[in-house]
Amino acid sequence: MARGKGEDGPHPVDRHVGRRVCERRISLGFNQSDLGRALGLTFQQIQKYEKGSNRISASKLWDIARFFKVDVAYFFEGLATTQPGMAEEAGSGFDHDFPATRYTIEIAKLAPQLPVAKQKLALDLMKSMASPTADT
């Protein structure tokens, strides 16, 4: 069994951290090869990190944080503070099944700058374009 893989694929925390690496990389305008070169890794290894299929070691996460000029805690932002255990029920999990692209990140950055009425219009437009009956 590959590291970071459980019965249902990569551990949700590994996926979350990988996604945060991907989002930060894209938002700063770097590609996987750029990050790989800075860390002495191949772009394929960066891909595996970002998918969560390979866990990022503490030392490598430290190097990534230094490269991106963020605190290591940045990569864990958005995780639930409690994890299911003996007394807790399982939470809703993490929704990381959609791809992070330059466009989704740019949309997420621009949306809060719009007045609420225009945010609603943009949301309605995206919903209509994403509906199964929309032309492709």
Side-chain angles (χ1 to χ4, degrees):
M1 182 183 324
R3 285 185 57 195
K5 294 219 181 211
E7 291 178 18
D8 298 321
H11 191 279
V13 174
D14 295 328
R15 291 181 67 204
H16 180 84
V17 170
R19 177 154 181 105
R20 294 288 289 169
V21 169
C22 179
E23 289 172 351
R24 184 69 178 175
R25 175 184 58 76
I26 291 172
S27 70
L28 293 174
F30 294 110
N31 62 37
Q32 291 174 332
S33 295
D34 296 332
L35 180 57
R37 273 191 299 277
L39 301 174
L41 302 170
T42 63
F43 78 89
Q44 292 96 334
Q45 182 61 47
I46 300 300
Q47 283 178 330
K48 291 176 184 180
Y49 283 164
E50 291 181 355
K51 289 179 185 175
S53 56
N54 280 14
R55 290 181 176 161
I56 304 173
S57 69
S59 60
K60 199 55 71 176
L61 192 60
W62 176 264
D63 291 340
I64 294 169
R66 285 186 16 204
F67 179 75
F68 288 153
K69 297 181 172 80
V70 296
D71 190 71
V72 172
Y74 167 85
F75 301 106
F76 298 95
E77 289 174 4
L79 284 175
T81 55
T82 60
Q83 294 295 319
M86 299 275 289
E88 298 90 11
E89 293 187 23
S92 61
F94 306 102
D95 182 18
H96 294 307
D97 292 333
F98 58 91
T101 65
R102 294 185 192 283
Y103 305 116
T104 59
I105 291 170
E106 191 169 351
I107 289 168
K109 281 183 180 179
L110 292 173
Q113 297 174 23
L114 296 172
V116 174
K118 288 187 178 182
Q119 287 179 22
K120 184 180 179 331
L121 287 172
L123 178 61
D124 290 343
L125 174 64
M126 285 192 275
K127 282 181 178 178
S128 71
M129 292 185 332
S131 76
T133 59
D135 294 332
T136 54

